[in-house]
Amino acid sequence: VQLVESGGGLVQPGGSLRLSCAASGFTFSTYHMRWYRQAPGKERELVAVIYTFGAGTNYADSVKGRFTISRDNALNTVYLQMNSLKPEDTAVYYCNAITSTARSVYEYWGQGTQVTVSS
């Protein structure tokens, strides 16, 4: 199983970035996909989630209206479009896949990609 994030980098306030997370080794379409972030000295926080089979999306209040999560099940990839970036969006962003059965929870993490918002 692999989740490989890409697209991070340095951007000025007000700028945009698009993160990608390429998945392999599991049935991508059956997993809810989430983006988390962790800033230095802070706890990891959930940024956005996209559910399976068109069941919708949810966002942290801090990113609503600025970030958009999407998925392409044909490419086994989830995206996070980040617009109007602020310095407080600076963090390592992690991709997460999760699903559950009656008996077990299956969860995978990527290695993270750094996003730095600074002038």
Side-chain angles (χ1 to χ4, degrees):
V1 172
Q2 272 196 313
L3 292 173
V4 180
E5 300 100 331
S6 61
L10 173 64
V11 64
Q12 292 188 340
S16 298
L17 281 175
R18 187 195 197 202
L19 305 183
S20 299
C21 172
S24 60
F26 62 98
T27 307
F28 178 80
S29 62
T30 66
Y31 280 67
H32 307 306
M33 298 301 299
R34 307 186 289 192
W35 286 98
Y36 283 78
R37 67 185 180 187
Q38 187 166 22
K42 294 189 176 181
E43 292 187 355
R44 192 171 294 190
E45 66 168 336
L46 178 63
V47 174
V49 56
I50 185 164
Y51 300 102
T52 60
F53 306 116
T57 59
N58 265 312
Y59 298 91
D61 287 343
S62 58
V63 306
K64 277 181 182 176
R66 300 188 298 122
F67 289 12
T68 302
I69 189 171
S70 61
R71 66 191 297 162
D72 187 330
N73 288 338
L75 296 178
N76 289 351
T77 301
V78 62
Y79 305 97
L80 187 67
Q81 178 66 44
M82 305 186 295
N83 299 328
S84 302
L85 282 161
K86 305 175 181 180
E88 51 263 43
D89 295 317
T90 295
V92 178
Y93 283 71
Y94 297 91
C95 177
N96 171 274
I98 189 166
T99 193
S100 63
T101 66
R103 292 189 172 185
S104 301
V105 175
Y106 300 90
E107 186 172 20
Y108 310 117
W109 290 91
Q111 82 290 348
T113 186
Q114 176 70 48
V115 171
T116 303
V117 185
S118 175
S119 54

